Amino acid sequence: MSADASLASEGAPSPGLLRQAQHGVDELDRREAYRQSREAAARARAFAEADAEALDGLVSVRPRQTVPRPQPVWDDAEVLVHEPVGERYRRLVVASSTIAHTALAGQFLMITVPPHAGDTILLPRPMAIHRRRPATADRPGTVEMIYGVVGRGTRALAAVPVGGTLQITGPLGRGFEFDSGTRSALLIGRGVGICGVMGAAEDARTTGIRTTMVLSGRSAEQLLGRADCAELGVRIIEATDDDGSSDLLTLQNSLRARFDGATPERTAPDVIMVCGAGVLARLAAELGAHWGVPVQASLEAHMACGLGYCHGCAGPVRTDPSVEGPLVCADGPVFDARIPVV
Amino acid sequence: MVAVRADTASPDARAASPDARAAFPDARAAFPDARAVFFAAAPAYRTTANALPVEAAMPGTPAVDLSVRIGSLTLRTPVMPASGCFGPELGALIPVTELGATVTKTVFGSARGGNPVHRLTEIPAGMVNSVGIPSHGPAGYLASLHPRYAALDVPTIISVGGHRPSEYAPVVAALGENGAAFELNVSCPNLDRDGTDIGSDPAAIREVVAAVRLVTVKPIIVKLPVLVASIADCARAAEEAGADAVCVANSIPAMPLDALTRRPILGNVIGGLSGPSIKPIVLRLVWLASRAVQIPVIACGGVQTVDDALDYFSVGASAVQVGTASFARPFAAVEVARGLRQRCQDAGVGSIRELLELEVS
Ligand SMILES: Cc1cc2nc3c(=O)[nH]c(=O)nc-3n(C[C@H](O)[C@H](O)[C@H](O)COP(=O)(O)OP(=O)(O)OC[C@H]3O[C@@H](n4cnc5c(N)ncnc54)[C@H](O)[C@@H]3O)c2cc1C
Ligand SMILES: Cc1cc2nc3c(=O)[nH]c(=O)nc-3n(C[C@H](O)[C@H](O)[C@H](O)COP(=O)(O)O)c2cc1C
Ligand code: FES
């Protein structure tokens, strides 16, 4: 053993000790990771249960549509923008003049996810159309989506490069509709659900409806939709978990206070449109009942076809066991939300 | 890039010619899209819509005849959708007349509501569904759905289900003269036999087919389940009782759990696995069934491409059904049909049999 080596061994822990220490650290890491995964599981379960409970008896199919629904197409759409938005989301802008031209507020697309790193994704993934930008003389029409990477499909989707193509089918479903004579609207979105209602803000802008949007999310840094609201002239109310302002009761109280009718500016909205969680749909329905205004809520369901023939996307509407309830893709995703009379 | 262009060289959406829109059935279309291009790329024979194949063959090459007979019914091409994976909604999205037939979702005798949510999911092994086959009964089907199928201008094969062997024939009788053939979905729990699949019991299959044979002269296809003791016995039972074809097979019973919560994902807890991963399992069954019976065997399980179809043909299938693949690529079945024709043309042969003889020699 050289002098250097013996010196070193006096000052530093032996490889064996190091291994042991590392083992201890790994063990702590693993325990922490395990604890976190169990917490996440408990959260997922609690969220699903709260959602189901909130939606129980709440929604019904909207009355017959006045505007004819556009014929869906499928298209090979060039990816023009695909970039991170904050830590949790990705923005995807694709070129499809047909869909940008025909899509109605609150409609969605089915995105066929190309194979990625040896993983083949079988089912297309439903995504709300966040923004529609019709074609101009020098550029094709585009649709914008914002999505969270949550599982295999969205992970593979995130790998699609700008310049590549994505096969998309749409526009699909029954969206948000303003009754004629609507002067003001309250839109409520949480997380990526903000994208579900943004189309209504676009329509409101075109028809001159005064619009306020609640942007709800975990933290102020992660809120989507600020720039869109600024562009569309929508007043913003931020509600986040980190300062407690998104808490259901707090939010409900602050909205009631905000629209208490004290001044013309504070008159209750003519309609409420909501997307993001069952509990928010119920909150909106409670506000709607309080103000005596209709509420439209956009829901999610696991989907395969998006067109109404696979019957995979049953909506949370209880029916006689021999009658099939509405389908989220064809009868929704936007439903009427009304507090059930007990 | 989506790997969808392997079989037919359709041009890029952006290269769409103005006349692509001519084939686009929707008058409101203001812009060319990939769907319109796909419609426009139909082989020349499409102009003779209902006739049997008389496509313009290149001089010196044999005309390609892909037609297949199922009893008294002749299909122009041996490709059709799988039950539950097609609906008249697709009529505007794909050129349905390029398929051999359409197949409806299973119609039951009485109205059924379907299963609780979630009704489907995707796991690495494939798609799992427990839709539960909502149905309006034969009267509801005839009133609301059948006219839309009939308008598609290809033979409609009506899928029929039952909870006991005695329930099938009345449904077929109630459907009367509608539809070109019946596909009996016997992958249903038999309530007379503690829930064992009707289709896993040759005696029950015999009973179902014999009863249906008495009420219709139209072709009968028996769609068998995967989990059976002997697919040969089941196929033979169908043949002996008077079936004109067997379809092999339905989805495979499976149970997906949520990775995080370890709870069942599906509201019904169990469902049917489908998609490319079931193909080797079904391929074996098709091979065994084809050796057991003289009637045509229609293969169903994981067909995505023309090569998947040719694999099934090479082990004895006479036709294929395309299910799960249509969700991501609504045009998948049409692409397989076009691809079969193209392969024959490229090889300079007139039929799939000749093509396969060439390939294995
Ligand atoms: C009408 C509609 C609009 C949507 N809009 C958006 C949007 O704008 N932005 C966004 O981030 N997400 C949106 N979603 C949710 C999005 O579809 C899911 O996050 C996505 O399908 C998850 O796929 P995955 O493979 O990454 O997850 P996995 O959990 O691996 O997926 C497994 C299976 O479950 C399905 N699934 C899982 N979670 C959902 C869910 N929440 N909704 C529907 N199916 C689900 C998947 O499609 C897949 O079939 C929308 C859903 C619907 C129905
Ligand atoms: C959503 C869905 C619904 C189905 N519904 C039916 C049905 O109503 N009747 C039936 O016989 N098979 C039904 N099937 C089974 C398919 O017809 C087919 O046998 C199976 O999916 C395997 O083929 P694939 O791998 O090509 O999908 C259904 C499959 C799926 C995925
Ligand atoms: S997703 Fe197929 S019916 Fe709704």
Side-chain angles (χ1 to χ4, degrees):
Chain A
M1 192 189 274
S2 76
D4 283 341
S6 71
L7 266 181
S9 70
E10 268 165 36
S14 73
L17 256 179
L18 262 177
R19 244 195 323 272
Q20 243 174 28
Q22 186 56 44
H23 184 75
V25 172
D26 288 351
E27 175 109 3
L28 280 178
D29 281 354
R30 281 202 306 269
R31 284 187 188 182
E32 177 57 18
Y34 180 75
R35 195 187 57 76
Q36 283 183 9
S37 83
R38 287 308 90 198
E39 269 181 24
R43 266 200 311 274
R45 219 175 291 174
F47 180 81
E49 278 160 16
D51 226 48
E53 197 184 323
L55 289 172
D56 191 22
L58 191 74
V59 301
S60 54
V61 176
R62 292 185 39 67
R64 258 188 95 79
Q65 203 164 350
T66 45
V67 189
R69 226 187 273 187
Q71 168 63 51
V73 301
W74 53 270
D75 204 357
D76 293 330
E78 185 179 349
V79 177
L80 303 177
V81 179
H82 201 178
E83 62 187 18
V85 181
E87 276 170 33
R88 309 184 41 210
Y89 306 117
R90 293 183 68 83
R91 181 194 324 278
L92 174 63
V93 180
V94 300
S96 176
S97 293
T98 308
I99 295 174
H101 176 68
T102 57
L104 304 175
Q107 285 196 295
F108 67 98
L109 301 176
M110 293 296 271
I111 303 185
T112 297
V113 183
H116 165 61
D119 199 12
T120 304
I121 305 296
L122 298 179
L123 296 180
R125 297 300 194 254
M127 291 291 165
I129 299 174
H130 170 52
R131 299 298 305 270
R132 300 156 286 172
R133 297 188 179 89
T136 60
D138 49 3
R139 57 161 187 78
T142 64
V143 281
E144 175 175 340
M145 276 95 32
I146 297 182
Y147 65 93
V149 175
V150 295
R152 272 175 69 227
T154 44
R155 242 190 329 272
L157 179 61
V160 174
V162 170
T165 55
L166 271 176
Q167 186 203 310
I168 54 178
T169 303
L172 300 167
R174 171 105 195 246
F176 290 107
E177 290 156 306
F178 289 107
D179 287 338
S180 61
T182 305
R183 288 152 305 158
S184 61
L186 173 63
L187 311 183
I188 305 175
R190 178 168 168 91
V192 287
I194 289 166
C195 310
V197 283
M198 198 58 79
E202 290 179 326
D203 282 7
R205 158 85 160 198
T206 323
T207 47
I209 295 168
R210 191 156 32 85
T211 310
T212 306
M213 190 175 324
V214 175
L215 305 179
S216 171
R218 287 198 200 161
S219 67
E221 308 87 71
Q222 290 178 9
L223 277 189
L224 297 171
R226 279 201 200 93
D228 303 283
C229 286
E231 179 197 327
L232 297 169
V234 173
R235 277 196 306 178
I236 293 176
I237 299 172
E238 297 193 0
T240 55
D241 302 355
D242 53 8
D243 68 2
S245 52
S246 64
D247 169 74
L248 292 171
L249 201 62
T250 312
L251 181 59
Q252 167 143 204
N253 288 334
S254 69
L255 288 171
R256 280 189 186 206
R258 180 134 182 166
F259 295 100
D260 62 2
T263 64
E265 269 294 284
R266 299 169 72 131
T267 314
D270 292 338
V271 63
I272 309 174
M273 295 172 170
V274 57
C275 179
V279 290
L280 265 192
R282 182 163 279 263
L283 176 147
E286 281 165 0
L287 283 171
H290 178 65
W291 292 323
V293 301
V295 178
Q296 300 176 20
S298 181
L299 306 184
E300 289 185 350
H302 289 201
M303 294 182 176
C305 73
L307 289 159
Y309 67 79
C310 80
H311 296 265
C313 62
V317 177
R318 264 196 263 159
T319 55
D320 180 300
S322 70
V323 178
E324 186 180 28
L327 298 172
V328 173
C329 76
D331 301 308
V334 175
F335 292 88
D336 277 339
R338 227 174 276 118
I339 296 295
V341 227
V342 212
Chain B
M1 261 310 265
V2 192
V4 295
R5 297 294 176 218
D7 308 324
T8 51
S10 294
D12 175 286
R14 239 136 287 288
S17 66
D19 37 2
R21 254 178 288 160
F24 188 47
D26 178 11
R28 274 168 302 175
F31 302 95
D33 51 59
R35 173 190 71 146
V37 176
F38 190 83
F39 267 89
Y45 72 87
R46 252 197 93 227
T47 48
T48 59
N50 291 323
L52 292 179
V54 276
E55 94 290 356
M58 280 216 292
T61 60
V64 177
D65 179 3
L66 294 181
S67 68
V68 56
R69 283 183 73 84
I70 312 278
S72 56
L73 177 68
T74 303
L75 307 182
R76 249 169 18 117
T77 182
V79 184
M80 60 191 108
S83 173
C85 306
F86 180 89
E89 292 80 359
L90 283 172
L93 290 188
I94 60 168
V96 177
T97 52
E98 290 184 52
L99 299 175
T102 60
V103 182
T104 71
K105 185 150 187 68
T106 301
V107 179
F108 280 83
S110 50
R112 298 161 40 114
N115 283 333
V117 293
H118 301 298
R119 287 183 173 181
L120 57 83
T121 190
E122 179 174 348
I123 56 174
M127 173 181 187
V128 194
N129 90 84
S130 67
V131 170
I133 318 200
S135 167
H136 302 292
Y141 166 79
L142 288 179
S144 59
L145 268 172
H146 190 70
R148 299 172 66 200
Y149 275 103
L152 294 175
D153 233 15
V154 280
T156 309
I157 298 175
I158 306 180
S159 173
V160 171
H163 304 297
R164 348 182 106 81
S166 59
E167 285 183 9
Y168 289 75
V171 179
V172 172
L175 291 167
E177 281 313 298
N178 299 287
F182 298 103
E183 181 176 274
L184 309 180
N185 173 5
V186 291
S187 313
C188 304
N190 185 348
L191 298 185
D192 285 347
R193 286 283 215 97
D194 299 329
T196 51
D197 258 13
I198 293 173
S200 65
D201 174 0
I205 294 174
R206 218 171 261 125
E207 195 183 335
V208 169
V209 178
V212 172
R213 189 72 293 170
L214 290 178
V215 297
T216 186
V217 294
K218 292 193 175 167
I220 299 173
I221 302 163
V222 180
K223 183 170 178 185
L224 297 170
V226 167
L227 300 185
V228 294
S230 163
I231 195 83
D233 287 349
C234 293
R236 267 194 296 264
E239 181 178 43
E240 285 162 14
D244 299 282
V246 288
C247 174
V248 179
N250 220 301
S251 53
I252 305 180
M255 177 168 168
L257 289 186
D258 184 279
L260 193 61
T261 63
R262 258 186 259 290
R263 287 193 176 182
I265 297 173
L266 300 176
N268 187 49
V269 181
I270 56 172
L273 180 70
S274 62
S277 60
I278 76 169
K279 190 183 133 196
I281 298 169
V282 178
L283 210 48
R284 166 184 171 273
L285 296 175
V286 168
W287 180 64
L288 292 171
S290 301
R291 287 152 50 113
V293 293
Q294 301 300 311
I295 53 176
V297 175
I298 302 168
C300 178
V303 175
Q304 293 186 299
T305 64
V306 64
D307 278 304
D308 293 328
L310 286 169
D311 281 350
Y312 278 122
F313 287 119
S314 77
V315 300
S318 301
V320 293
Q321 293 185 344
V322 179
T324 303
S326 298
F327 297 127
R329 296 154 57 236
F331 47 84
V334 173
E335 205 175 64
V336 170
R338 285 183 184 177
L340 288 172
R341 182 170 298 277
Q342 192 64 54
R343 287 288 174 91
C344 290
Q345 275 168 0
D346 292 349
V349 298
S351 71
I352 293 169
R353 276 297 134 227
E354 290 168 61
L355 180 70
L356 291 172
E357 277 162 22
L358 209 69
E359 286 190 4
V360 294
S361 63

